Amino acid sequence: MITVKNSEQIACMRRAGALLYEVLQAVAREVKPGVTTASLDRLAEAMIRDHGAIPSFLGYDGYPASLCTSVDSCVIHGIPSEGQILRGGSILSLDCGLILDGWQADSALTVPVGEIPLAARRLIETTERAFFAGARKALNGNTLGDIGSAVQSVAESAGYGVIRDYTGHGIGRDMHEEPSVYNFGLPGHGQRLCAGMTLAIEPMISQDDWHTDEGNDGWAVLTRDGALSAHYEHTIAITEDGLPEILTLPGHHWEEDTHGADSL
Ligand code: MF3
Ligand code: CO
């Protein structure tokens, strides 16, 4: 069942989203060569708890951390560890979720570790652009296929692969609600969208082939061919008659946003 939220409920999700934005920005600022992924996880958990929120990933299906730290060919669900020391030239996807006053927020971004090759920067930028292209199709009366096809066309026209085996999702009181939000599809197809739906849109884009394998810790998802992969996610709310509100990107205004320009 898809749950539609009223404006008070969306206000709660906006507060959760704003806190998650601060957490992810603080974690991203600490990313540099020599840092362990476990230290990033500790920072995320401490900040979440200090603000009276709960880390939603910790204990979810037995997941052992508050943050996912996915390096290079790891697409998602990299478990932070003391033994994993970040090296310059890598890319790191940071994915985090929290619950504030019973309402969920979920967001991810990919950041460089030190200096990275131009090709890796282009992958990160294209993944963000794919998100914004998809998100700007999250309109009252549109369909899920409109979002997926917009994400897919940005990624594939840049020569990249769209990960197929994992999707975005509805979000609200639960982290994972219906519907599944595919990062590919056909315009006009699939579930119709309406005002008050809140979605986590999260393109996962590979530099090459989209096939994935599971790592041997039971969590990590890796590109099968070892290609670099980037992830970018926000929790959004569909509005009555305008562009969606990006709840995990406080202060965002579409008119200032060049990522989502229709020309792209
Ligand atoms: N952003 C991820 C998702 O949408 C986070 C899940 S990690 C888990 O599924 F550990 F919580 F499962
Ligand atoms: Co998510």
Side-chain angles (χ1 to χ4, degrees), residues 161-218:
V162 172
I163 305 298
R164 305 295 169 105
D165 300 330
Y166 302 87
T167 67
H169 46 93
I171 179 168
R173 287 203 174 272
D174 292 319
M175 175 162 62
H176 294 138
E177 299 186 354
E178 287 179 24
S180 292
V181 180
Y182 291 91
N183 292 308
F184 55 92
L186 296 170
H189 285 239
Q191 171 70 46
R192 196 157 292 282
L193 304 171
C194 71
M197 286 174 63
T198 46
L199 305 174
I201 300 175
E202 49 178 316
M204 291 151 270
I205 307 293
S206 160
Q207 219 173 16
D208 195 0
D209 184 76
W210 59 263
H211 287 88
T212 59
D213 283 321
E214 284 173 24
N216 50 21
D217 62 9

Side-chain angles (χ1 to χ4, degrees), residues 16-97:
L19 175 57
L20 181 55
Y21 172 78
E22 295 303 330
V23 170
L24 275 171
Q25 291 297 306
V27 171
R29 279 195 296 273
E30 293 305 312
V31 171
K32 46 180 107 46
V35 161
T36 69
T37 53
S39 73
L40 300 175
D41 179 59
R42 280 193 295 274
L43 172 61
E45 180 173 358
M47 247 186 108
I48 291 168
R49 294 198 191 281
D50 282 351
H51 290 83
I54 300 166
S56 56
F57 293 6
L58 187 63
Y60 184 92
D61 281 346
Y63 186 75
S66 300
L67 185 70
C68 297
T69 51
S70 305
V71 175
D72 291 340
S73 64
C74 185
V75 181
I76 48 170
H77 300 170
I79 299 175
S81 87
E82 297 294 350
Q84 187 175 44
I85 299 165
L86 294 173
R87 285 211 300 239
S90 286
I91 63 172
L92 170 65
S93 297
L94 299 166
D95 188 356
C96 195

Side-chain angles (χ1 to χ4, degrees), residues 72-172:
D72 291 340
S73 64
C74 185
V75 181
I76 48 170
H77 300 170
I79 299 175
S81 87
E82 297 294 350
Q84 187 175 44
I85 299 165
L86 294 173
R87 285 211 300 239
S90 286
I91 63 172
L92 170 65
S93 297
L94 299 166
D95 188 356
C96 195
L98 60 78
I99 309 164
L100 182 66
D101 299 329
W103 293 93
Q104 300 264 350
D106 187 6
S107 182
L109 78 169
T110 302
V111 296
V113 183
E115 288 295 316
I116 60 168
L118 184 61
R121 269 210 311 271
R122 180 174 167 265
L123 174 67
I124 292 173
E125 286 166 7
T126 304
T127 303
E128 295 183 6
R129 198 153 49 81
F131 165 84
F132 284 102
R136 68 159 46 232
K137 299 290 182 185
L139 305 176
N140 190 9
N142 270 6
T143 69
L144 279 178
D146 293 321
I147 298 177
S149 70
V151 170
Q152 181 178 19
S153 73
V154 169
E156 292 183 351
S157 62
Y160 298 141
V162 172
I163 305 298
R164 305 295 169 105
D165 300 330
Y166 302 87
T167 67
H169 46 93
I171 179 168

